[in-house]
mmCIF file of all heavy atoms in Angstrom:
data_model
loop_
_atom_site.group_PDB
_atom_site.id
_atom_site.type_symbol
_atom_site.label_atom_id
_atom_site.label_comp_id
_atom_site.label_asym_id
_atom_site.label_seq_id
_atom_site.Cartn_x
_atom_site.Cartn_y
_atom_site.Cartn_z
ATOM 1 N N GLU A 68 -194.781 53.403 106.082
ATOM 2 C CA GLU A 68 -194.607 54.305 104.936
ATOM 3 C C GLU A 68 -194.208 55.701 105.420
ATOM 4 O O GLU A 68 -193.291 56.321 104.884
ATOM 5 C CB GLU A 68 -195.899 54.379 104.132
ATOM 6 C CG GLU A 68 -195.847 55.347 102.976
ATOM 7 C CD GLU A 68 -197.192 55.541 102.285
ATOM 8 O OE1 GLU A 68 -198.195 54.932 102.704
ATOM 9 O OE2 GLU A 68 -197.229 56.322 101.326
ATOM 10 N N GLN A 69 -194.884 56.179 106.443
ATOM 11 C CA GLN A 69 -194.578 57.506 106.981
ATOM 12 C C GLN A 69 -193.176 57.549 107.594
ATOM 13 O O GLN A 69 -192.463 58.544 107.452
ATOM 14 C CB GLN A 69 -195.635 57.914 108.003
ATOM 15 C CG GLN A 69 -196.978 58.191 107.367
ATOM 16 C CD GLN A 69 -198.082 58.405 108.382
ATOM 17 O OE1 GLN A 69 -197.966 58.009 109.541
ATOM 18 N NE2 GLN A 69 -199.167 59.023 107.939
ATOM 19 N N LEU A 70 -192.773 56.462 108.248
ATOM 20 C CA LEU A 70 -191.414 56.402 108.793
ATOM 21 C C LEU A 70 -190.381 56.449 107.668
ATOM 22 O O LEU A 70 -189.350 57.125 107.791
ATOM 23 C CB LEU A 70 -191.223 55.142 109.635
ATOM 24 C CG LEU A 70 -191.885 55.125 110.995
ATOM 25 C CD1 LEU A 70 -191.703 53.772 111.654
ATOM 26 C CD2 LEU A 70 -191.327 56.219 111.880
ATOM 27 N N GLY A 71 -190.654 55.741 106.577
ATOM 28 C CA GLY A 71 -189.761 55.780 105.428
ATOM 29 C C GLY A 71 -189.664 57.172 104.833
ATOM 30 O O GLY A 71 -188.581 57.629 104.455
ATOM 31 N N GLU A 72 -190.803 57.851 104.757
ATOM 32 C CA GLU A 72 -190.806 59.222 104.235
ATOM 33 C C GLU A 72 -189.973 60.148 105.122
ATOM 34 O O GLU A 72 -189.190 60.958 104.628
ATOM 35 C CB GLU A 72 -192.236 59.752 104.132
ATOM 36 C CG GLU A 72 -193.062 59.087 103.057
ATOM 37 C CD GLU A 72 -194.531 59.445 103.133
ATOM 38 O OE1 GLU A 72 -194.957 60.066 104.144
ATOM 39 O OE2 GLU A 72 -195.258 59.103 102.198
ATOM 40 N N MET A 73 -190.145 60.012 106.430
ATOM 41 C CA MET A 73 -189.384 60.855 107.359
ATOM 42 C C MET A 73 -187.897 60.539 107.273
ATOM 43 O O MET A 73 -187.054 61.441 107.348
ATOM 44 C CB MET A 73 -189.870 60.667 108.805
ATOM 45 C CG MET A 73 -191.269 61.191 109.059
ATOM 46 S SD MET A 73 -191.380 62.965 108.812
ATOM 47 C CE MET A 73 -192.346 63.031 107.334
ATOM 48 N N GLY A 74 -187.562 59.269 107.113
ATOM 49 C CA GLY A 74 -186.158 58.886 106.958
ATOM 50 C C GLY A 74 -185.552 59.481 105.696
ATOM 51 O O GLY A 74 -184.413 59.943 105.697
ATOM 52 N N ALA A 75 -186.327 59.465 104.613
ATOM 53 C CA ALA A 75 -185.845 60.034 103.353
ATOM 54 C C ALA A 75 -185.626 61.537 103.491
ATOM 55 O O ALA A 75 -184.622 62.074 103.005
ATOM 56 C CB ALA A 75 -186.829 59.736 102.226
ATOM 57 N N ILE A 76 -186.543 62.205 104.154
ATOM 58 C CA ILE A 76 -186.415 63.653 104.361
ATOM 59 C C ILE A 76 -185.194 63.969 105.225
ATOM 60 O O ILE A 76 -184.392 64.851 104.901
ATOM 61 C CB ILE A 76 -187.702 64.230 104.988
ATOM 62 C CG1 ILE A 76 -188.844 64.186 103.975
ATOM 63 C CG2 ILE A 76 -187.478 65.647 105.501
ATOM 64 C CD1 ILE A 76 -190.209 64.468 104.568
ATOM 65 N N ALA A 77 -185.041 63.214 106.316
ATOM 66 C CA ALA A 77 -183.913 63.471 107.228
ATOM 67 C C ALA A 77 -182.578 63.197 106.541
ATOM 68 O O ALA A 77 -181.639 63.994 106.645
ATOM 69 C CB ALA A 77 -184.054 62.610 108.479
ATOM 70 N N ALA A 78 -182.483 62.080 105.833
ATOM 71 C CA ALA A 78 -181.220 61.747 105.161
ATOM 72 C C ALA A 78 -180.921 62.739 104.041
ATOM 73 O O ALA A 78 -179.761 63.114 103.830
ATOM 74 C CB ALA A 78 -181.280 60.317 104.618
ATOM 75 N N GLY A 79 -181.951 63.174 103.327
ATOM 76 C CA GLY A 79 -181.762 64.178 102.288
ATOM 77 C C GLY A 79 -181.283 65.498 102.852
ATOM 78 O O GLY A 79 -180.394 66.158 102.290
ATOM 79 N N ALA A 80 -181.867 65.881 103.986
ATOM 80 C CA ALA A 80 -181.439 67.124 104.641
ATOM 81 C C ALA A 80 -179.989 67.017 105.107
ATOM 82 O O ALA A 80 -179.207 67.967 104.969
ATOM 83 C CB ALA A 80 -182.353 67.443 105.822
ATOM 84 N N TYR A 81 -179.613 65.854 105.629
ATOM 85 C CA TYR A 81 -178.234 65.668 106.078
ATOM 86 C C TYR A 81 -177.266 65.694 104.891
ATOM 87 O O TYR A 81 -176.165 66.241 104.995
ATOM 88 C CB TYR A 81 -178.097 64.361 106.872
ATOM 89 C CG TYR A 81 -176.744 64.212 107.508
ATOM 90 C CD1 TYR A 81 -176.386 64.994 108.597
ATOM 91 C CD2 TYR A 81 -175.811 63.309 107.004
ATOM 92 C CE1 TYR A 81 -175.127 64.879 109.177
ATOM 93 C CE2 TYR A 81 -174.557 63.187 107.580
ATOM 94 C CZ TYR A 81 -174.225 63.976 108.666
ATOM 95 O OH TYR A 81 -172.978 63.867 109.230
ATOM 96 N N ALA A 82 -177.689 65.125 103.768
ATOM 97 C CA ALA A 82 -176.850 65.163 102.565
ATOM 98 C C ALA A 82 -176.612 66.607 102.121
ATOM 99 O O ALA A 82 -175.482 66.982 101.774
ATOM 100 C CB ALA A 82 -177.494 64.352 101.441
ATOM 101 N N LEU A 83 -177.657 67.418 102.143
ATOM 102 C CA LEU A 83 -177.499 68.837 101.785
ATOM 103 C C LEU A 83 -176.594 69.566 102.774
ATOM 104 O O LEU A 83 -175.790 70.417 102.388
ATOM 105 C CB LEU A 83 -178.865 69.521 101.714
ATOM 106 C CG LEU A 83 -179.739 69.135 100.519
ATOM 107 C CD1 LEU A 83 -181.115 69.774 100.643
ATOM 108 C CD2 LEU A 83 -179.066 69.551 99.217
ATOM 109 N N HIS A 84 -176.731 69.206 104.040
ATOM 110 C CA HIS A 84 -175.884 69.797 105.078
ATOM 111 C C HIS A 84 -174.415 69.467 104.824
ATOM 112 O O HIS A 84 -173.545 70.354 104.908
ATOM 113 C CB HIS A 84 -176.332 69.272 106.448
ATOM 114 C CG HIS A 84 -175.410 69.606 107.569
ATOM 115 N ND1 HIS A 84 -175.301 70.867 108.094
ATOM 116 C CD2 HIS A 84 -174.537 68.830 108.259
ATOM 117 C CE1 HIS A 84 -174.405 70.862 109.069
ATOM 118 N NE2 HIS A 84 -173.923 69.635 109.183
ATOM 119 N N GLU A 85 -174.136 68.221 104.491
ATOM 120 C CA GLU A 85 -172.753 67.812 104.225
ATOM 121 C C GLU A 85 -172.222 68.457 102.947
ATOM 122 O O GLU A 85 -171.043 68.786 102.856
ATOM 123 C CB GLU A 85 -172.651 66.290 104.147
ATOM 124 C CG GLU A 85 -172.737 65.612 105.497
ATOM 125 C CD GLU A 85 -171.620 66.011 106.450
ATOM 126 O OE1 GLU A 85 -170.464 66.223 106.014
ATOM 127 O OE2 GLU A 85 -171.897 66.117 107.666
ATOM 128 N N LYS A 86 -173.085 68.633 101.957
ATOM 129 C CA LYS A 86 -172.673 69.308 100.724
ATOM 130 C C LYS A 86 -172.239 70.743 101.037
ATOM 131 O O LYS A 86 -171.226 71.239 100.531
ATOM 132 C CB LYS A 86 -173.817 69.299 99.719
ATOM 133 C CG LYS A 86 -173.467 69.882 98.381
ATOM 134 C CD LYS A 86 -174.616 69.733 97.402
ATOM 135 C CE LYS A 86 -174.189 70.187 96.030
ATOM 136 N NZ LYS A 86 -175.210 69.903 95.028
ATOM 137 N N HIS A 87 -173.012 71.410 101.900
ATOM 138 C CA HIS A 87 -172.690 72.777 102.317
ATOM 139 C C HIS A 87 -171.364 72.800 103.081
ATOM 140 O O HIS A 87 -170.519 73.680 102.859
ATOM 141 C CB HIS A 87 -173.832 73.327 103.174
ATOM 142 C CG HIS A 87 -173.566 74.689 103.727
ATOM 143 N ND1 HIS A 87 -173.588 75.826 102.951
ATOM 144 C CD2 HIS A 87 -173.258 75.099 104.984
ATOM 145 C CE1 HIS A 87 -173.309 76.875 103.706
ATOM 146 N NE2 HIS A 87 -173.111 76.463 104.953
ATOM 147 N N LYS A 88 -171.172 71.818 103.978
ATOM 148 C CA LYS A 88 -169.934 71.767 104.763
ATOM 149 C C LYS A 88 -168.719 71.518 103.871
ATOM 150 O O LYS A 88 -167.632 72.017 104.154
ATOM 151 C CB LYS A 88 -170.019 70.676 105.832
ATOM 152 C CG LYS A 88 -170.816 71.083 107.044
ATOM 153 C CD LYS A 88 -170.693 70.044 108.122
ATOM 154 C CE LYS A 88 -170.195 70.735 109.363
ATOM 155 N NZ LYS A 88 -169.963 69.831 110.472
ATOM 156 N N ALA A 89 -168.910 70.741 102.805
ATOM 157 C CA ALA A 89 -167.796 70.473 101.892
ATOM 158 C C ALA A 89 -167.326 71.759 101.227
ATOM 159 O O ALA A 89 -166.125 71.951 101.001
ATOM 160 C CB ALA A 89 -168.211 69.449 100.836
ATOM 161 N N LYS A 90 -168.266 72.642 100.923
ATOM 162 C CA LYS A 90 -167.903 73.926 100.313
ATOM 163 C C LYS A 90 -167.238 74.866 101.322
ATOM 164 O O LYS A 90 -166.326 75.618 100.988
ATOM 165 C CB LYS A 90 -169.143 74.593 99.718
ATOM 166 C CG LYS A 90 -169.672 73.917 98.479
ATOM 167 C CD LYS A 90 -170.893 74.650 97.955
ATOM 168 C CE LYS A 90 -171.462 73.960 96.737
ATOM 169 N NZ LYS A 90 -172.681 74.633 96.260
ATOM 170 N N LYS A 91 -167.730 74.845 102.568
ATOM 171 C CA LYS A 91 -167.245 75.779 103.585
ATOM 172 C C LYS A 91 -165.943 75.324 104.235
ATOM 173 O O LYS A 91 -165.235 76.143 104.820
ATOM 174 C CB LYS A 91 -168.313 75.955 104.688
ATOM 175 C CG LYS A 91 -169.560 76.662 104.204
ATOM 176 C CD LYS A 91 -169.240 78.084 103.848
ATOM 177 C CE LYS A 91 -170.481 78.822 103.392
ATOM 178 N NZ LYS A 91 -170.205 80.181 102.963
ATOM 179 N N ASP A 92 -165.657 74.018 104.173
ATOM 180 C CA ASP A 92 -164.476 73.475 104.847
ATOM 181 C C ASP A 92 -163.618 72.717 103.832
ATOM 182 O O ASP A 92 -163.625 71.493 103.782
ATOM 183 C CB ASP A 92 -164.936 72.543 105.982
ATOM 184 C CG ASP A 92 -163.786 72.015 106.818
ATOM 185 O OD1 ASP A 92 -162.653 72.513 106.675
ATOM 186 O OD2 ASP A 92 -164.037 71.093 107.614
ATOM 187 N N PRO A 93 -162.862 73.454 102.993
ATOM 188 C CA PRO A 93 -162.101 72.792 101.916
ATOM 189 C C PRO A 93 -161.046 71.806 102.434
ATOM 190 O O PRO A 93 -160.701 70.857 101.749
ATOM 191 C CB PRO A 93 -161.457 73.943 101.157
ATOM 192 C CG PRO A 93 -161.668 75.154 101.950
ATOM 193 C CD PRO A 93 -162.698 74.889 102.977
ATOM 194 N N GLU A 94 -160.573 72.018 103.653
ATOM 195 C CA GLU A 94 -159.561 71.118 104.223
ATOM 196 C C GLU A 94 -160.110 69.701 104.418
ATOM 197 O O GLU A 94 -159.383 68.716 104.270
ATOM 198 C CB GLU A 94 -159.070 71.685 105.556
ATOM 199 C CG GLU A 94 -157.889 70.939 106.149
ATOM 200 C CD GLU A 94 -157.402 71.595 107.429
ATOM 201 O OE1 GLU A 94 -157.531 72.831 107.572
ATOM 202 O OE2 GLU A 94 -156.896 70.856 108.276
ATOM 203 N N HIS A 95 -161.382 69.598 104.760
ATOM 204 C CA HIS A 95 -162.016 68.301 104.992
ATOM 205 C C HIS A 95 -163.112 68.012 103.953
ATOM 206 O O HIS A 95 -164.048 67.239 104.213
ATOM 207 C CB HIS A 95 -162.618 68.253 106.403
ATOM 208 C CG HIS A 95 -161.617 68.457 107.481
ATOM 209 N ND1 HIS A 95 -161.483 69.658 108.149
ATOM 210 C CD2 HIS A 95 -160.669 67.629 107.993
ATOM 211 C CE1 HIS A 95 -160.520 69.550 109.033
ATOM 212 N NE2 HIS A 95 -159.999 68.324 108.970
ATOM 213 N N ALA A 96 -162.985 68.608 102.794
ATOM 214 C CA ALA A 96 -164.032 68.486 101.771
ATOM 215 C C ALA A 96 -164.256 67.039 101.344
ATOM 216 O O ALA A 96 -165.404 66.624 101.125
ATOM 217 C CB ALA A 96 -163.685 69.340 100.561
ATOM 218 N N HIS A 97 -163.190 66.265 101.247
ATOM 219 C CA HIS A 97 -163.334 64.871 100.803
ATOM 220 C C HIS A 97 -164.201 64.073 101.785
ATOM 221 O O HIS A 97 -165.084 63.315 101.374
ATOM 222 C CB HIS A 97 -161.956 64.218 100.638
ATOM 223 C CG HIS A 97 -162.028 62.813 100.136
ATOM 224 N ND1 HIS A 97 -162.410 62.510 98.848
ATOM 225 C CD2 HIS A 97 -161.789 61.628 100.753
ATOM 226 C CE1 HIS A 97 -162.402 61.199 98.682
ATOM 227 N NE2 HIS A 97 -162.018 60.641 99.843
ATOM 228 N N LYS A 98 -163.935 64.266 103.075
ATOM 229 C CA LYS A 98 -164.729 63.579 104.115
ATOM 230 C C LYS A 98 -166.202 63.974 104.021
ATOM 231 O O LYS A 98 -167.097 63.126 104.084
ATOM 232 C CB LYS A 98 -164.172 63.935 105.498
ATOM 233 C CG LYS A 98 -164.998 63.398 106.640
ATOM 234 C CD LYS A 98 -164.468 63.924 107.975
ATOM 235 C CE LYS A 98 -165.387 63.521 109.089
ATOM 236 N NZ LYS A 98 -166.064 64.615 109.711
ATOM 237 N N HIS A 99 -166.467 65.261 103.846
ATOM 238 C CA HIS A 99 -167.851 65.741 103.765
ATOM 239 C C HIS A 99 -168.541 65.219 102.500
ATOM 240 O O HIS A 99 -169.733 64.910 102.525
ATOM 241 C CB HIS A 99 -167.892 67.269 103.810
ATOM 242 C CG HIS A 99 -167.474 67.831 105.137
ATOM 243 N ND1 HIS A 99 -168.125 67.537 106.307
ATOM 244 C CD2 HIS A 99 -166.452 68.680 105.470
ATOM 245 C CE1 HIS A 99 -167.534 68.168 107.310
ATOM 246 N NE2 HIS A 99 -166.516 68.867 106.827
ATOM 247 N N LYS A 100 -167.775 65.125 101.416
ATOM 248 C CA LYS A 100 -168.352 64.627 100.166
ATOM 249 C C LYS A 100 -168.751 63.155 100.312
ATOM 250 O O LYS A 100 -169.804 62.741 99.837
ATOM 251 C CB LYS A 100 -167.325 64.803 99.025
ATOM 252 C CG LYS A 100 -167.904 64.580 97.669
ATOM 253 C CD LYS A 100 -168.832 65.714 97.290
ATOM 254 C CE LYS A 100 -169.310 65.519 95.878
ATOM 255 N NZ LYS A 100 -170.499 66.306 95.588
ATOM 256 N N ILE A 101 -167.912 62.365 100.987
ATOM 257 C CA ILE A 101 -168.238 60.955 101.217
ATOM 258 C C ILE A 101 -169.481 60.843 102.097
ATOM 259 O O ILE A 101 -170.394 60.052 101.804
ATOM 260 C CB ILE A 101 -167.036 60.217 101.847
ATOM 261 C CG1 ILE A 101 -165.929 60.096 100.807
ATOM 262 C CG2 ILE A 101 -167.455 58.847 102.362
ATOM 263 C CD1 ILE A 101 -164.622 59.581 101.363
ATOM 264 N N GLU A 102 -169.557 61.633 103.161
ATOM 265 C CA GLU A 102 -170.726 61.599 104.036
ATOM 266 C C GLU A 102 -171.975 62.066 103.301
ATOM 267 O O GLU A 102 -173.073 61.543 103.543
ATOM 268 C CB GLU A 102 -170.471 62.434 105.289
ATOM 269 C CG GLU A 102 -169.460 61.783 106.215
ATOM 270 C CD GLU A 102 -169.238 62.549 107.504
ATOM 271 O OE1 GLU A 102 -169.930 63.563 107.732
ATOM 272 O OE2 GLU A 102 -168.363 62.124 108.271
ATOM 273 N N GLU A 103 -171.813 63.028 102.403
ATOM 274 C CA GLU A 103 -172.947 63.479 101.584
ATOM 275 C C GLU A 103 -173.472 62.329 100.724
ATOM 276 O O GLU A 103 -174.686 62.100 100.644
ATOM 277 C CB GLU A 103 -172.517 64.637 100.691
ATOM 278 C CG GLU A 103 -173.574 65.066 99.696
ATOM 279 C CD GLU A 103 -173.038 65.960 98.601
ATOM 280 O OE1 GLU A 103 -171.892 66.445 98.683
ATOM 281 O OE2 GLU A 103 -173.779 66.184 97.626
ATOM 282 N N GLU A 104 -172.561 61.591 100.100
ATOM 283 C CA GLU A 104 -172.970 60.491 99.228
ATOM 284 C C GLU A 104 -173.618 59.364 100.012
ATOM 285 O O GLU A 104 -174.598 58.755 99.545
ATOM 286 C CB GLU A 104 -171.766 59.986 98.434
ATOM 287 C CG GLU A 104 -171.305 60.983 97.391
ATOM 288 C CD GLU A 104 -170.031 60.555 96.683
ATOM 289 O OE1 GLU A 104 -169.577 59.410 96.891
ATOM 290 O OE2 GLU A 104 -169.501 61.376 95.912
ATOM 291 N N ILE A 105 -173.115 59.083 101.201
ATOM 292 C CA ILE A 105 -173.726 58.045 102.050
ATOM 293 C C ILE A 105 -175.135 58.473 102.459
ATOM 294 O O ILE A 105 -176.075 57.676 102.403
ATOM 295 C CB ILE A 105 -172.845 57.760 103.285
ATOM 296 C CG1 ILE A 105 -171.547 57.082 102.849
ATOM 297 C CG2 ILE A 105 -173.596 56.904 104.304
ATOM 298 C CD1 ILE A 105 -170.508 56.985 103.945
#
Side-chain angles (χ1 to χ4, degrees):
E68 177 187 1
Q69 291 172 340
L70 286 175
E72 290 170 350
M73 292 297 110
I76 291 168
Y81 188 72
L83 288 174
H84 170 73
E85 286 299 324
K86 184 175 186 173
H87 176 73
K88 281 188 125 183
K90 289 180 182 178
K91 292 294 181 183
D92 185 11
E94 188 177 330
H95 300 102
H97 182 70
K98 174 186 173 247
H99 292 300
K100 191 71 175 162
I101 290 171
E102 289 183 4
E103 173 194 349
E104 290 175 8
I105 292 170

